[in-house]
Structure formats: C-alpha cells, structure tokens
Amino acid sequence: MQTSSIVYIPIGRKTFDLEAGEQYRNQSSEWLRSKYHTVYEPEEILTSVEDLEKFLETLTNKNIDSIIYQSVTFADGEFIAKVLQYRNEPVVVWSVREPSVGGRLRLNSLTGGNSTSNVLMHHRHPFTFVLGNPDEEQLQNQLSRQIRVNVLVNKLKQLKIGVIGEHPPGFFFSDTDEELLHRKLGVTIQKMDLLKAFQECVELPEEEWAGVIDRAEQQVIGLNRSDDTVKKFAQFSTYVKKYIEREDIAALAVRCWPEFFNELGAAACSTLSQFTEDGVVSSCESDIHGAVSMFILQELSGGNAPYLGDLVHVNEPNNSVVFWHCGAGAYSLASPSTGAQSGVHPNRKMGFTMDFGLKAGEVTIFRLGYTPDGYRLLVMKGEALDVPQPFSGTSVEVRLNGNVSETVNTLMESGYEPHFAVVYADVADDLLQLGKLLNIPTEVYV
C-alpha cells in the first residue's frame, strides 16, 4: 500500500440519479483505500456547498498530497471554488461514465468535470483530468500515475539540497537562481563550507567512521581498508551524514574537484556513490539541477538509484550514446558480470572511486534544465546495453529510440547542460505529467 495521503471529494446534485452515483462513489472509495495508506473522504456524496465546507474544515492542518475531485454528477463551479479556499494541492478532476444511454441523462458527470476544469484553469491552479469508471484498468493506471506525480510535487516543496562547495570555475550550469528554484519547484538550498568539512572530518574518532568502511565492503569489490583514501572517504562521509541528519537534507550537490584532491587527498566519487546508493542522491561538480533531476527520477521509479553522467561518445552503428563520469555511481548499478569495482580517478590517479560499466536494461534519461526563458524538462527513453566497459570510471552505453545523430545534434543545438540523469525504469509518462503540472516546457525523445 502506497504511503500517499489523499482527499477524495465526491460531488453531486440531488436533481440527478444519486442512487447510481452512490454505487460509483462506493467503488471509487474501495479502490482508493485498497491502494493508498491515508484517504480522507466523506461518508456520502456531497450535494451542497455547505456540506462540502463542513468536510473541508475537518481537514485543517492535514498533510495531503492529492485532491481527487470526482464529479459524480453535474455540479457547478461553486464547489471547486470552495475547495480552493481551503486547499492548494494539485487536483485530479475525475468524471465517470454515464450508466446508460437512451432516455434521461442520469449523471452528466462529464459536463461537471468540464465545468470544474474551467474554474481551475481560471484560477491557474494545477490540475489534470481523467475519465472512466473505478473498475477500469486504464483509469486506475491514470489515477495512479497522477497521484504519484502529485506526491512528487509535494516532496519537491519539502526538498532541501545540501550544497557543499561552489561549482568549479566555468561550470555555470551547475549553479541556480535560489529564489526562482524555490518559487517554481519549492526546493530550498542549504550550503556547507567544503574546506571546513575537510578540516573537521579528519578529527572524528575512529569508532564513528569505521562502520562506513564496513558498509562499503559489503558491496564494493577490491576495497583496500588500509588505503588512506578509503579512510578519508569514511571520515568525510560520516561528517556529511551528520549534516544530512541535522539539517534534514534529502539530496547533495558537491564540489568534487580540485579541493578534494589537493586539500583532503582523496576523490569525492566514493562518497557520492554511497550516499546515492543509500537514497540521498548526490551530484558531482555542485550540479544543483542535476541533484534535483536525480531526486525526481528516484521518486518516480519507486526508489531506484539514478545515475548522473556526461554524454561523451556517439556510436552510430549501434544508434547509441555513452554516458560517463569519473568514478561516481551507486553500487547497485554495476553490471552483474563485474560487480561494483573500486578504482582510482582516471585523471588524478587517486582513490577511491568506482570503476565499472552499468547494468543493462530499460532506462529513462532526464534533465531539469534552465534557459534564459526559464526552466525546461528533457525526457528520453532508451536501452542500456550489455557491452564491455567503454571507459575507465563509471559509464553506460544506451541505445536511443530515436535516430542518435539527429538527437545528439538537437541536444547540442538546444544548449542542454552536459549532465544527464538516468534511471532504470520507464517513467517518461510521469515526467510528461510533471511538466504539465509545473507548467514547464518539456522536450521529449521517446
């Protein structure tokens, strides 16, 4: 059962067939309660604005992800206008089918949904529309997707990203307009001093960080406990974990060079890999929008660890591209044929990093991007291939659905950021709905 918290509001008028409407309400309620942990709902169809207001008053201070507003019969715009006086969550407008054709129009639910949608549009309130009966699989899939996206929108409003160090010189795309990011998505930024973290993490007693090495040994092949860079990985990770817990951080964007090598004497890749593996998505080069992109993919895929990589190679005969980075990647993403191998940074020759090719499977590629005109979303689908590791570090070769040459040229000419987030799941439709809900232009290559 999903942990979503929703409110189900069935609306109708007594001039229509409420007996048939109650059957729909009962079926809808049973299905919602079978799927979701918390469902707030009235005991019967609400037939007056006064009854609706009394119900809404019972929801004061309730944390809700989605409003399921069902036009069981036709009802005018007063009802949804009253809802908007009390709640600001995204709305799913749900119309059911007429129980019979021929003779009296018994419910006129579709017109009710039409009227409701019109009011929401004029209020510029985020909403989507679905049509169907509660026992229809297609309707259930649509509702599930929409509620999932609404939950994500709510989580984005609560998302706090720990930014550890400014982005490297020239990596302008890693930065953000904090005020705009918060206004558009609700995301907030919490900054940490990188050099202070280096100075203080090495002072931690061994009993605090030794367990981090034990944890990494469970999944990383070839880890050398006596390597000084492994020790520093454990110290820094322990220090950051305290920061995460203290500040309620759910994602990280970390400046990984050159200070990690020059000041700490270790690569950041292992820290980013382990945090992402454990559910705190972590981007390198302080890429804030990259961290948001990873968070979105993790949430929509049900917790799958995402990957963040540069687009570094085009293989025209395979219709594929390679996404790569220096040595960051969640352990569980490694190809089963090799496992998560430890290594050294391919340029700096300093440990410890990940060194493996990613596993095969269906993937979605995504980027929350920014242009002079505002935010945009990029959505692509493809298949991660079971091929030999093409470059040292971490990498994955993905066969795209569209023509690879045309796609890459379009990406470059559109000026997309170099970092692309990848997840092993098909969440393209969810991302399209997210773009609609947030009113962000979405470019799709599926």
Side-chain angles (χ1 to χ4, degrees), residues 90-142:
V91 176
V92 180
V93 180
W94 181 1
S95 288
V96 296
R97 302 188 189 278
E98 280 299 314
S100 61
V101 178
R104 179 192 175 197
L105 187 65
R106 295 166 63 187
L107 299 178
N108 200 15
S109 172
L110 186 56
T111 304
N114 197 162
S115 174
T116 300
S117 299
N118 176 259
V119 173
L120 289 166
M121 179 275 295
H122 278 282
H123 280 78
R124 299 186 185 278
H125 190 90
F127 77 97
T128 52
F129 172 80
V130 296
L131 170 65
N133 293 344
D135 60 350
E136 296 177 19
E137 183 178 0
Q138 182 178 355
L139 180 281
Q140 293 174 1
N141 290 338
Q142 285 181 296

Side-chain angles (χ1 to χ4, degrees), residues 66 82 318 381 430:
S66 295
K82 181 60 67 176
N318 260 359
K381 286 171 62 174
D430 294 39

Side-chain angles (χ1 to χ4, degrees), residues 180-192:
L180 179 62
L181 180 65
H182 183 69
R183 186 172 73 246
K184 192 64 177 177
L185 278 81
V187 177
T188 56
I189 299 298
Q190 179 74 37
K191 294 185 177 180
M192 175 195 276

Side-chain angles (χ1 to χ4, degrees), residues 3-180:
T3 57
S4 308
S5 177
I6 65 177
V7 57
Y8 168 50
I9 304 177
I11 297 295
R13 285 294 198 185
K14 293 180 179 179
T15 50
F16 290 93
D17 187 348
L18 288 185
E19 183 176 350
E22 271 296 324
Q23 294 179 13
Y24 281 136
R25 187 197 68 81
N26 279 320
Q27 293 171 1
S28 302
S29 173
E30 289 176 5
W31 182 79
L32 290 169
R33 288 190 170 278
S34 72
K35 288 278 292 184
Y36 300 102
H37 184 267
T38 304
V39 179
Y40 300 103
E41 62 179 326
E43 295 181 355
E44 59 186 1
I45 296 171
L46 299 173
T47 58
S48 72
V49 175
E50 293 73 24
D51 288 343
L52 170 61
E53 187 164 23
K54 289 178 184 178
F55 171 67
L56 292 170
E57 288 172 350
T58 69
L59 304 176
T60 303
N61 299 323
K62 301 293 186 183
N63 184 21
I64 292 169
D65 297 310
S66 295
I67 297 171
I68 310 299
Y69 181 100
Q70 188 180 57
S71 295
V72 184
T73 79
F74 171 78
D76 57 61
E78 285 186 283
F79 287 85
I80 192 62
K82 181 60 67 176
V83 172
L84 297 183
Q85 291 178 17
Y86 282 82
R87 309 300 309 188
N88 62 4
E89 295 85 4
V91 176
V92 180
V93 180
W94 181 1
S95 288
V96 296
R97 302 188 189 278
E98 280 299 314
S100 61
V101 178
R104 179 192 175 197
L105 187 65
R106 295 166 63 187
L107 299 178
N108 200 15
S109 172
L110 186 56
T111 304
N114 197 162
S115 174
T116 300
S117 299
N118 176 259
V119 173
L120 289 166
M121 179 275 295
H122 278 282
H123 280 78
R124 299 186 185 278
H125 190 90
F127 77 97
T128 52
F129 172 80
V130 296
L131 170 65
N133 293 344
D135 60 350
E136 296 177 19
E137 183 178 0
Q138 182 178 355
L139 180 281
Q140 293 174 1
N141 290 338
Q142 285 181 296
L143 273 176
S144 297
R145 175 183 299 116
Q146 207 54 60
I147 292 171
R148 187 163 58 244
V149 173
N150 290 353
V151 169
L152 170 60
V153 170
N154 193 28
K155 286 187 175 181
L156 285 171
K157 293 177 181 177
Q158 303 168 41
L159 174 60
K160 186 187 292 186
I161 299 178
V163 179
I164 308 178
E166 300 293 333
H167 62 79
F171 280 60
F172 307 116
F173 69 87
S174 289
D175 204 357
T176 191
D177 179 329
E178 292 185 39
E179 191 277 331
L180 179 62

Side-chain angles (χ1 to χ4, degrees), residues 302-318:
N304 292 352
Y307 178 71
L308 190 72
D310 297 336
L311 198 167
V312 300
H313 180 65
V314 179
N315 185 340
E316 286 90 348
N318 260 359

Side-chain angles (χ1 to χ4, degrees), residues 239-304:
Y239 184 89
V240 172
K241 186 174 183 180
K242 291 182 177 182
Y243 164 67
I244 288 171
E245 294 172 347
R246 182 176 67 249
E247 301 294 341
D248 195 24
I249 300 295
L252 294 172
V254 181
R255 178 177 173 124
C256 53
W257 63 270
E259 288 81 6
F260 260 88
F261 304 105
N262 299 340
E263 304 295 333
L264 185 64
C269 308
S270 46
T271 294
L272 305 182
S273 301
Q274 184 149 307
F275 275 124
T276 300
E277 178 68 26
D278 292 340
V280 181
V281 296
S282 303
S283 66
C284 55
E285 295 163 333
S286 282
D287 182 0
I288 295 170
H289 295 147
V292 178
S293 301
M294 296 174 75
F295 179 84
I296 289 171
L297 290 184
Q298 176 181 260
E299 293 301 314
L300 291 181
S301 65
N304 292 352

